[in-house]
Amino acid sequence: MNIINSQRIMVIDKLFMLCVHFLEWLGNTTGLNYKQISVVFNIYIQGGILFVSSWLPLIKVISCDWNLEREWSIFVYGGCLTYIGIYGYGLYRLCKRYSTPLEDAFDICVDDLLYLSRKWGLSYNAINILIFVIGWILCVGANCVFCFWIS
């Protein structure tokens, strides 16, 4: 392994450990153990925030009082509702997949992440960072940018 890959792995592992410590702190604050807070925060809270942020473009369209001609308004509103529907369906699938006791949901999630790490050739830590940090920030960021673009 060359030095660049070694440094990249170290950065990912440090970021992963930072996330673990954050979840441990959050768990101690809320009275939940690590497995419970991991599921509550990473799946339900982050998933919920993504779903709520998917409503921003529609709210922006409604609030900025666009003067759309009737034939275009159906596409804009339909597009926004479709966008919300995609996020809503994703949240529904996520909640359905992990609708078990929190400790069991954690184990299922770990199995899913290990499967993805083998399939994509990444480490378990890298998959966690890719999905729960980078992916989440990109999705929420895209919703905000889309909302800004509408104005």
Side-chain angles (χ1 to χ4, degrees):
M1 179 182 322
N2 64 30
I3 223 124
I4 293 174
N5 283 339
S6 176
Q7 289 173 339
R8 194 175 300 143
I9 289 171
M10 286 177 40
V11 169
I12 289 171
D13 290 338
K14 286 181 180 181
L15 185 55
F16 178 78
M17 289 311 300
L18 180 67
C19 293
V20 167
H21 292 306
F22 169 73
L23 289 173
E24 288 173 339
W25 171 82
L26 196 57
N28 288 334
T29 304
T30 60
L32 298 173
N33 66 36
Y34 178 76
K35 285 185 170 187
Q36 293 168 333
I37 195 63
S38 292
V39 171
V40 169
F41 184 80
N42 290 327
I43 295 175
Y44 298 117
I45 292 176
Q46 284 189 306
I49 291 171
L50 278 176
F51 179 66
V52 168
S53 74
S54 74
W55 283 80
L56 292 175
L58 179 64
I59 292 167
K60 184 71 172 192
V61 166
I62 292 169
S63 69
C64 73
D65 193 30
W66 274 16
N67 291 324
L68 295 172
E69 295 183 27
R70 184 171 171 81
E71 61 269 5
W72 283 106
S73 66
I74 194 164
F75 291 113
V76 171
Y77 288 113
C80 287
L81 291 174
T82 301
Y83 192 69
I84 292 166
I86 291 168
Y87 274 93
Y89 181 71
L91 182 60
Y92 164 76
R93 295 287 305 204
L94 196 65
C95 290
K96 187 175 179 184
R97 172 90 175 131
Y98 300 107
S99 65
T100 60
L102 294 176
E103 281 85 3
D104 295 340
F106 178 85
D107 294 337
I108 293 168
C109 186
V110 167
D111 289 343
D112 291 345
L113 293 170
L114 287 170
Y115 169 77
L116 289 174
S117 71
R118 286 189 303 273
K119 184 172 180 150
W120 294 349
L122 297 171
S123 70
Y124 174 80
N125 293 357
I127 288 292
N128 266 280
I129 298 303
L130 184 64
I131 292 172
F132 296 115
V133 177
I134 297 169
W136 187 81
I137 290 170
L138 288 175
C139 287
V140 170
N143 291 339
C144 294
V145 166
F146 187 38
C147 188
F148 178 76
W149 173 77
I150 289 173
S151 63

